[in-house]
Amino acid sequence: MEKMQFKAESKRLLDLMINSIYTHKEIFLRELISNGSDAIDKLYYKSLSSDHTGLSREDFGILLEVNEDARTLTISDNGIGMTKDELESNLGTIAKSGSLAFKKEQAAKEGDEGADGDAEIDIIGQFGVGFYSAFMVADKVTVITKAFGEEQGWKWESEGADGYTIEEAEKDGHGTEIILTLKDNTDDENYDEFLNEYKIRGLIKKYSDYIRYPIRMMVEKTRMVEPAEDAQEDAKPEYESYRELETLNSMVPLWKKSKSELTEEDYNNFYKEKFYDFKDPAKVIHTSVEGMVSYTALMYIPGVAPYNYYSKDFEKGLQLYSSGVMIMDKCADLLPDCFSFVKGLVDSQDLSLNISREMLQHDRQLKAIASRLEKKIQSELLSLQKNDREKYDEFFKNFGLQLKYGVYEGYGVKKDLLKDLLMFYSSTEKKLVTLKEYVDRMRPDQTSIYYACGETVERIDKLPQTELLKDKGFEILYLTDNVDEFALKMMMTYEEKEFKSVADEDLDIAQTEEEKEAAQKQAEENKDLLELMKEALGDKVTEVRLSNRLKSHPVCITSGSDMSLEMEKILATMPGGDGSFKADKILEINASHPILEALKKAKETDADKVKLYTQLLYNQALLIEGMNVEDPVEFSNAICSLMI
């Protein structure tokens, strides 16, 4: 028996295959099972021709056998098998793919000369290196095979890069069995785990659950044996172990079934089992797309946010399958961050995988799929919003914050995608409303979408700056999340309506000529007082003015710049915040409040008291805004001085 050498660059190339291409050693089982599935596919496709009859899918399968004493794992299939020439060609030349050659051959027969071999033949293997992943876990690999229709079987055996042998062998029936003699354990690697029934079952479920043929294994089971009829009365049942051939894989993916075949319970049970959730999903998205890139997607909107969703530990991504074989557990590129809450999977046979089938060779197809999924998720959420508002409200409480972050991130690149999904609390409706609902209710004379910021709805509702708008019947959106105002600033407008804070310098509310003249006259009459107050505050404010927005409250602070008071407050509390970001503050005094008369009287008798009053009013306005008093001791002493 002559030892032959590999036709590729021998040891170096095989070492590369074993040590560099695959990230995880457990991948070997996926590769060998996929090869077995390919071999069965080849025979099945041949059986469809007039030359071969009497075979159906039900006749095929893959068998796993474990021998702990011999430290062997055997993977057998009853597929097409190999002749001696095919054995030497396919296993003697690294990176020679028999599956790819078969696909091209069949495509040529069907008249598709320019095809790469797709032609309705869904065979997984392309590169011909998957078989060699066996050497990651095995010292010796033995292949016993017999081609369909042949009398003679053959045995191929190798212990690695030094070469291989081929000799005649006896084999019942067509197909191939691969016998792996596992390596000894080391300090770093435990190869015994690949002889463990539970571990093998888990790997099949993870990577090969949807191989279209049954994957079977003899498994250890226990059954109860009742006492014999003539046993003593107090005899208890005994338990005995037995072995039974069990199918480990599901075979038909749920997402490949027609929607008409599936019930809501089917979808929900699959979700809870597959993605380890205890609650039914809020929305199921099941879609198939045919085109330049064809795929099937089954996605779920969770009914509740994962406990770690808003933490750095959360990993987004959809499971990625290629023809039913899992390639990636979490493919982050399939989801934008704004939809990172979506769980599910995508299955496509059009992906260009790299040589190890663990990653994508290039991302053109992936980007095309991701773009379509993004639009599909948006449309399904809009449908939920329209048709089941109660469920959408619950969804938004769970994940609305992520949508808002999505508007702000990336300089607003996703704002058009997300704007109609956003919701904010309404001062008039007393519930969450969409921007579309707000705009549809706007008064004819209203030109801006008004909003107010604060820690809670209750605190916002009491803000002095809201008085004028509420008095005139304008609806105000109450923003309670830190990101809210940043998101609206990024959007700038909605349906050509500008967003305007109640604390903005100009509320853009029309005034009559009489109102303008009266306000101008009053400001002129109190010019000296306002200048004195500005002098007392120095650069803490850019201006002190009489207010046209206050009704019952004596004072408020507004902003005269793009940086709002709320944004200043949030930025100051962020990690690394040093308080350098400042809004241009304007102190507004209620012209119809008794406090103005007190200030005017003090100006006539005691200018220092005006300064004291001004400091108190300024600090009072800060507290109303939820901002820190700059000097609490000074503020306390000022109050005490008025009481003495």
Side-chain angles (χ1 to χ4, degrees), residues 359-500:
M359 297 186 301
L360 298 170
Q361 195 168 10
H362 56 83
D363 62 358
R364 179 175 56 83
Q365 300 104 323
L366 203 66
K367 285 182 178 178
I369 294 174
S371 178
R372 286 176 177 260
L373 293 181
E374 185 179 276
K375 293 181 176 67
K376 182 64 176 177
I377 294 168
Q378 182 221 32
S379 67
E380 291 292 334
L381 287 174
L382 288 174
S383 173
L384 183 66
Q385 182 192 97
K386 178 181 178 181
N387 299 316
D388 193 341
R389 186 56 174 267
E390 184 177 346
K391 188 172 283 189
Y392 186 82
D393 286 353
E394 186 64 27
F395 153 77
F396 197 81
K397 289 175 184 176
N398 284 318
F399 303 111
L401 187 62
Q402 188 65 19
L403 300 182
K404 297 171 186 176
Y405 278 120
V407 171
Y408 176 69
E409 289 176 334
Y411 301 98
V413 68
K414 300 293 184 186
K415 63 182 181 182
D416 289 335
L417 177 76
L418 301 172
K419 61 184 180 182
D420 289 316
L421 299 174
L422 301 182
M423 298 177 72
F424 302 95
Y425 186 87
S426 164
S427 63
T428 57
E429 301 301 304
K430 308 301 181 186
K431 63 179 182 180
L432 291 173
V433 301
T434 67
L435 295 176
K436 183 73 168 63
E437 290 165 344
Y438 180 103
V439 170
D440 287 347
R441 286 193 295 268
M442 283 177 61
R443 292 166 30 165
D445 61 335
Q446 185 177 347
T447 59
S448 300
I449 300 172
Y450 294 108
Y451 68 87
C453 303
E455 293 179 7
T456 65
V457 165
E458 292 72 24
R459 290 190 67 169
I460 296 173
D461 200 48
K462 296 176 182 178
L463 286 176
Q465 295 94 325
T466 65
E467 281 192 304
L468 176 64
L469 292 169
K470 287 194 287 188
D471 186 59
K472 290 183 174 292
F474 288 109
E475 183 176 5
I476 307 171
L477 299 176
Y478 289 177
L479 278 51
T480 55
D481 290 323
N482 286 349
V483 73
D484 286 350
E485 189 172 20
F486 290 91
L488 295 191
K489 291 281 189 182
M490 187 61 68
M491 289 175 63
M492 299 176 66
T493 64
Y494 179 84
E495 293 191 2
E496 299 182 352
K497 305 293 184 182
E498 181 185 3
F499 293 104
K500 189 168 285 292

Side-chain angles (χ1 to χ4, degrees), residues 60-170:
F60 299 115
I62 297 169
L63 178 66
L64 304 182
E65 297 176 88
V66 171
N67 186 327
E68 293 186 17
D69 294 333
R71 291 182 57 76
T72 61
L73 173 63
T74 302
I75 301 97
S76 305
D77 68 74
N78 58 347
I80 198 166
M82 288 178 278
T83 64
K84 180 183 179 182
D85 288 343
E86 289 171 335
L87 192 61
E88 184 169 353
S89 175
N90 293 339
L91 301 190
T93 305
I94 301 174
K96 171 74 177 294
S97 173
S99 293
L100 183 58
F102 179 85
K103 291 171 78 175
K104 289 184 176 180
E105 177 186 338
Q106 296 302 309
K109 287 181 179 179
E110 295 177 19
D112 189 5
E113 298 294 340
D116 288 333
D118 293 337
E120 303 299 323
I121 301 174
D122 187 10
I123 291 177
I124 304 164
Q126 309 180 60
F127 297 106
V129 299
F131 169 78
Y132 299 97
S133 65
F135 287 101
M136 292 192 297
V137 298
D139 280 327
K140 181 171 72 175
V141 178
T142 304
V143 178
I144 300 174
T145 185
K146 185 163 77 173
F148 181 80
E150 296 286 324
E151 295 294 329
Q152 182 64 58
W154 297 92
K155 175 182 175 182
W156 180 100
E157 194 165 78
S158 174
E159 296 182 2
D162 288 341
Y164 60 92
T165 60
I166 296 179
E167 61 182 311
E168 293 183 359
E170 294 297 321

Side-chain angles (χ1 to χ4, degrees), residues 174-192:
H174 55 83
T176 301
E177 59 185 79
I178 302 172
I179 305 161
L180 308 182
T181 303
L182 297 187
K183 296 178 179 179
D184 292 329
N185 294 334
T186 66
D187 293 338
D188 299 324
E189 299 290 350
N190 176 23
Y191 296 102
D192 283 352

